[in-house]
Amino acid sequence: MNTKDLKVLISEEEIQAKIGELAAKLNEIYKDEEVYAICVLKGAVMFAVDLVKKLNMPVKMEFIRLSSYGSATTTSGKVNAVDIALPDLNGKNVMIIEDIVDTGLTAKFLIDFINLNFHTKSTVFCSLLDKKMTRKTDVSPDYYCFDIDDKFVVGYGLDYDGHYRNLPYIAYADHII
Ligand code: IMP
């Protein structure tokens, strides 16, 4: 895939505007309560950074690394916890920040992991993108910014074989869909 073959699906301006709307909603919900924002690396890095900058409550950021894709454009079906070290989240407000919910296997793995290991005060799942058509589990993000069709997308943290994470917008290429 070549950068010149990419078509913009969601512009930088649209992304930033939606993140602003989501942050306003979350600021209203949590008011001054502390939140543990858990960024799921690597894909959610851009979204998490831009979102937390717009949050007004006390925030502690944590980073975990899960993988399921390898270098292909379809999920392996197996979630690999590369690094899931977390502090004690008992009694805490937990905000999971993910790039995309596709099959939902990663989201389910993570929610089950949190529920099994901690009694949180609250847990919400925020995803930049929601690809509902390809869902294979019964999980859905509590909050998401954009609903997308069954397209393999890149940019703004999302990659194809490690490439394109640095694009400030979300894009797709016809021939790998
Ligand atoms: P799920 O477990 O199938 O929901 O997929 C979750 C992970 O797969 C995401 O966190 C992404 O890293 C990756 N993924 C799913 N769809 C795409 C895509 O369209 N582009 C890039 N990565 C994707």
Side-chain angles (χ1 to χ4, degrees):
M1 184 166 48
N2 206 308
T3 315
K4 68 177 166 38
D5 298 328
L6 293 174
K7 295 176 184 163
V8 177
L9 183 69
I10 308 168
S11 71
E12 183 174 5
E13 293 71 26
E14 289 173 295
I15 293 172
Q16 295 305 326
K18 275 281 185 201
I19 292 177
E21 285 173 26
L22 174 58
K25 210 179 286 179
L26 296 169
N27 284 332
E28 188 54 39
I29 292 168
Y30 292 103
K31 309 252 190 262
D32 291 330
E33 282 195 43
E34 183 179 74
V35 166
Y36 278 69
I38 301 176
C39 168
V40 186
L41 296 172
K42 300 175 189 171
V45 64
M46 305 285 183
F47 176 43
V49 165
D50 283 344
L51 179 64
V52 298
K53 282 189 282 186
K54 295 181 168 79
L55 296 178
N56 301 330
M57 76 292 279
V59 172
K60 285 190 172 175
M61 279 190 92
E62 296 293 332
F63 298 86
I64 61 170
R65 195 166 155 208
L66 305 179
S67 74
S68 63
Y69 256 58
S71 63
T73 56
T74 51
T75 178
S76 64
K78 190 179 169 297
V79 180
N80 183 21
V82 182
D83 174 7
I84 199 163
L86 285 167
D88 182 1
L89 297 174
N90 287 304
K92 308 295 185 189
N93 292 308
V94 171
M95 183 188 294
I96 301 167
I97 307 179
E98 181 56 303
D99 53 357
I100 184 167
V101 180
D102 180 7
T103 62
L105 288 168
T106 306
K108 184 168 169 33
F109 173 90
L110 199 43
I111 291 164
D112 288 350
F113 180 87
I114 302 267
N115 288 339
L116 199 70
N117 289 283
F118 308 104
H119 290 289
T120 64
K121 182 171 183 189
S122 67
T123 305
V124 297
F125 198 102
C126 300
S127 184
L128 177 71
L129 305 175
D130 190 5
K131 225 193 250 185
K132 292 190 171 69
M133 288 166 70
T134 46
R135 196 64 40 81
K136 290 191 179 135
T137 59
D138 58 1
V139 300
S140 285
D142 299 297
Y143 302 99
Y144 63 90
C145 293
F146 302 96
D147 211 344
I148 62 164
D149 292 341
D150 184 14
K151 281 182 164 60
F152 187 80
V153 293
V154 296
Y156 199 66
L158 291 117
D159 75 308
Y160 173 67
D161 202 12
H163 295 279
Y164 309 115
R165 291 192 199 277
N166 59 314
L167 299 176
Y169 50 83
I170 301 284
Y172 69 99
D174 284 324
H175 66 276
I176 60 157
I177 292 162

